[in-house]
Amino acid sequence: MTAPGSATGSPEGRPGGVEDVDAVVVGAGLAGLYALYRLRQLGLRTVVLEAGGGVGGTWYWNRYPGARCDVESYDYSYSFSAELQQEWVWTERFPAQGEVLAYVNHVADRFDLRRDVRLHTRVVQAAFDDDTARWTVTTAAGDRMTARYCVMATGCLSIPKDPDIPGLDSYEGNLYQTARWPHDDPDFTGQRVACIGTGSSGIQCIPMLARQAGHLHVFQRTPNFSVPAQNRPLDAAGDRAMKARYPEHRRAARSSYAGVVIATTGRSAFEVSPEERRREYEARWQRGGVQFLGAYTDIRTDTAANDTAAEFVRDRIRETVSDPEVAARLLPWDYPIGTKRLCVDTGYFDTYNRPNVTLVDLRETPIERITPDGIRTTAADHRFDSIVLATGFDAMTGALLRADIRGRGGRALADEWADGPRVYLGLAINGFPNLFTVTGPGSPSVLANMVLAIEQHVEWIADCIRYLEEGGFRTIEATDQAQDDWARHVAEVAELSLFPKTDSWYVGTNVPGKPRTFMPYLGGFDTYSRRCTEVAAGGYAGFVLEKA
Ligand code: NA7
């Protein structure tokens, strides 16, 4: 017996190896699994196609030492099931990669999701057929599947950036990429190790590598702001208290700016004295995490206000790093704090006090090339047993473009987005009917608590599909006008902040040739989700619905 909506229970195979289902979901991370859960509830035969060898998405791939969530565990978890949130016990305030992955696997088992997930299955094309109004999804193995609905749950940070360093292929030592970390936990004991990149991934793994390596060289191009996690184990009494007020905690998160409640003073940084400001920053530093930036309302919008927070962090770096020359190289100067994603670390700056750690400043001595035995900068030839690339991702659009999505008349998404992504509400694209992008560009996504952002999107998509099914509609498609208006709104809101001028993966400048567009929506999770609800309640304003 199979449950209603099970794809494996009743596949409709056709000659030629084509399988027909109701919905295809691409990706089995937190988004894809929840999409499967909701679409099954609608009675749709749903299949999830996943490139990896396990569920978990980001948490499956990013298993480098020190990988940890920078959102607190009680928030970085599904809220859709009261039973799930009551029974799961988190052990740390900021969960390590392994714990989040164990959680996702628990969810997959608890809700019997695995039977409709196909692992090791990479989607290489999704094409819409105008005549049948169905999507044909092709896998790397050449298998094909058709579906009425295609849900792209491919993640915002899932395609590692090609590090474009000459000579990389010639390297004969061990080469690692944080986002494609091997499962057998490499041992760096006694080795000469290099780490290239000092974003969140680098900042998390550098302290761990330093503990093992004989000597670690960190190759830094842009210094980063980082605040301490102040991570700690959770205890049973705290767990009981949290679980007693979970529903109200979730309600508050759902109506918050970031999908997680960030306590703010509600004041401008200049409404208070420098001493009071310092006390506020100090208290937040001691509490740990990205709540640091919530101190004042104008940190994201006013350069001078921002600089009070930036200078506080620079002072902590000067205080922590004992060699003043090394400290000076670690100071971020040329962009406002928070306009690249703020890093959250455990012992990062302190790592530079270790005798076995050397900082190489690539602004002074750029990398010329990777050689067979190491890295050549303009100043020296370094020999390494292992090189770790923590060089980031082709964020937000990378996975969608990689999938070769073709809409009406065979038009390619890559052509549509040649000047930057345009996605109505970050959810739907003109010319690509019945295709949905979970946490797509133009939605709060990476600026919000991702799990809540995922739940809000999946719930909206499931409600929309139910509406189509019950109303006898064949397709839903965003209008060009609605999509343009939304893209303009996303850009205008971003312009009110300090974000767009900073080079970062938010604007795509980390990937050569990528058009500069501020991709996430900065208007707030609360405002945004209200807007999505209104659009649906208004009979899907900004969409064209076609009757079957
Ligand atoms: P990030 O934040 O994009 O960081 C990548 C780092 O790699 C950053 O320091 C880059 O320097 C550096 N980088 C990239 N390419 C090169 C080359 N060619 N040479 C030297 N240095 C290079 O990616 P992460 O994986 O750390 O974090 C991404 C998100 O994942 C994070 O924000 C969290 O949300 C989770 P640059 O700044 O470009 O000078």
Side-chain angles (χ1 to χ4, degrees):
M1 272 274 293
T2 50
S6 165
T8 43
S10 52
E12 288 179 15
R14 280 196 280 123
V18 181
E19 187 179 339
D20 299 322
V21 294
D22 295 324
V24 168
V25 176
V26 185
L30 285 154
L33 291 179
Y34 187 43
L36 170 60
Y37 175 80
R38 292 303 285 231
L39 296 181
R40 243 194 216 168
Q41 280 184 333
L42 296 180
L44 297 184
R45 283 173 305 135
T46 305
V47 169
V48 181
L49 304 179
E50 165 59 52
V55 300
T58 287
W59 303 103
Y60 171 82
W61 295 106
N62 288 270
R63 47 181 80 220
Y64 58 84
R68 191 174 286 285
C69 187
D70 60 7
V71 174
E72 296 191 35
S73 49
Y74 288 118
D75 290 300
Y76 196 88
S77 49
Y78 291 118
S79 64
F80 70 84
S81 160
E83 296 77 22
L84 170 67
Q85 79 183 5
Q86 287 299 326
E87 77 199 13
W88 182 261
V89 179
W90 292 104
T91 67
E92 289 184 278
R93 178 185 179 200
F94 294 105
Q97 171 268 337
E99 189 165 11
V100 185
L101 188 60
Y103 170 77
V104 183
N105 275 284
H106 168 75
V107 171
D109 291 330
R110 192 191 189 287
F111 297 99
D112 188 21
L113 299 174
R114 290 188 202 277
R115 62 190 157 89
D116 290 326
V117 178
R118 314 250 169 105
L119 301 175
H120 302 291
T121 306
R122 180 173 292 283
V123 169
V124 293
Q125 192 183 64
F128 183 72
D129 182 328
D130 291 87
D131 296 331
T132 59
R134 290 180 74 84
W135 283 91
T136 300
V137 173
T138 308
T139 71
D143 295 328
R144 283 187 299 154
M145 181 173 280
T146 81
R148 277 209 301 289
Y149 306 105
C150 183
V151 178
M152 298 302 292
T154 40
C156 294
L157 294 157
S158 43
I159 302 292
K161 189 193 88 142
D162 175 5
D164 56 43
I165 305 173
L168 198 57
D169 289 346
S170 72
Y171 181 58
E172 288 168 1
N174 311 308
L175 186 65
Y176 303 100
Q177 151 70 259
T178 47
R180 291 290 178 270
W181 202 258
H183 288 217
D184 58 0
D185 244 344
D187 181 8
F188 297 99
T189 306
Q191 290 190 8
R192 293 160 303 174
V193 179
C195 178
I196 304 179
T198 52
S200 285
S201 307
I203 280 176
Q204 288 189 335
C205 75
I206 285 163
M208 307 296 284
L209 295 173
R211 280 191 216 165
Q212 268 196 11
H215 200 99
L216 173 70
H217 280 72
V218 177
F219 291 80
Q220 169 194 270
R221 193 162 62 184
T222 310
N224 231 320
F225 289 100
S226 187
V227 295
Q230 314 286 18
N231 194 25
R232 56 179 156 75
L234 298 170
D235 58 42
D239 190 59
R240 273 195 303 279
M242 178 66 213
K243 285 176 176 168
R245 61 184 161 84
Y246 230 145
E248 110 204 30
H249 183 84
R250 296 293 199 184
R251 265 196 302 280
R254 280 199 176 234
S255 52
S256 69
Y257 177 85
V260 52
V261 177
I262 300 210
T264 169
T265 60
R267 308 170 84 176
S268 154
F270 297 113
E271 273 179 63
V272 299
S273 67
E275 295 71 37
E276 188 175 336
R277 232 170 19 231
R278 201 191 143 76
R279 275 197 302 278
E280 182 66 34
Y281 288 143
E282 182 61 36
R284 284 172 186 265
W285 186 266
Q286 292 309 330
R287 230 174 292 143
V290 295
Q291 298 259 348
F292 180 81
L293 287 179
Y296 299 106
T297 52
D298 44 2
I299 289 180
R300 285 162 177 258
T301 53
D302 181 86
T303 309
N306 184 284
D307 205 47
T308 63
E311 190 53 19
F312 179 89
V313 175
R314 285 191 288 262
D315 278 344
R316 301 289 76 69
I317 298 171
R318 292 184 187 102
E319 237 170 52
T320 307
V321 180
S322 28
D323 180 333
E325 282 183 21
V326 176
R329 292 191 178 101
L330 288 166
L331 297 181
W333 274 113
D334 49 1
Y335 61 94
I337 184 171
T339 57
K340 282 180 191 282
R341 190 177 170 103
L342 182 63
C343 299
V344 177
D345 73 275
T346 298
Y348 174 65
F349 292 112
D350 207 29
T351 297
Y352 293 94
N353 296 328
R354 296 177 65 107
N356 70 333
V357 175
T358 303
L359 178 67
V360 181
D361 186 338
L362 298 179
R363 287 175 167 182
E364 293 167 3
T365 57
I367 294 178
E368 279 186 347
R369 61 181 301 106
I370 308 280
T371 61
D373 57 8
I375 298 176
R376 179 176 304 152
T377 68
T378 51
D381 256 317
H382 302 271
R383 293 165 64 88
F384 295 112
D385 303 303
S386 297
I387 298 178
V388 174
L389 300 172
T391 42
F393 298 88
D394 183 354
M396 304 203 65
T397 54
L400 293 168
L401 293 176
R402 185 70 70 93
D404 187 19
I405 302 175
R406 294 180 179 259
R408 283 197 194 280
R411 56 208 252 205
L413 188 64
D415 294 335
E416 302 292 311
W417 287 4
D419 298 325
R422 295 181 314 141
V423 188
Y424 182 37
L425 299 171
L427 273 163
I429 308 161
N430 174 252
F432 298 77
N434 293 3
L435 176 114
F436 301 94
T437 49
V438 184
T439 63
S443 70
S445 57
V446 293
L447 295 175
N449 169 6
M450 276 303 276
V451 188
L452 213 53
I454 283 167
E455 286 188 319
Q456 185 259 338
H457 263 195
V458 168
E459 284 157 18
W460 191 95
I461 292 165
D463 288 348
C464 173
I465 290 178
R466 181 193 292 121
Y467 184 88
L468 300 177
E469 295 282 306
E470 290 176 356
F473 294 102
R474 187 174 188 245
T475 56
I476 185 167
E477 181 178 352
T479 68
D480 199 36
Q481 180 72 47
Q483 179 173 280
D484 258 357
D485 291 348
W486 183 253
R488 202 170 315 113
H489 174 62
V490 171
E492 281 167 5
V493 172
E495 283 305 324
L496 300 174
S497 78
L498 299 172
F499 277 86
K501 290 196 182 62
T502 298
D503 288 347
S504 71
W505 57 260
Y506 291 142
V507 292
T509 47
N510 65 325
V511 176
K514 193 163 169 173
R516 187 181 190 115
T517 314
F518 188 80
M519 292 180 283
Y521 178 56
L522 249 177
F525 177 77
D526 45 355
T527 313
Y528 169 82
S529 35
R530 261 200 313 278
R531 176 77 174 258
C532 292
T533 307
E534 283 162 14
V535 164
Y540 294 92
F543 287 94
V544 172
L545 281 75
E546 194 185 270
K547 275 281 182 188

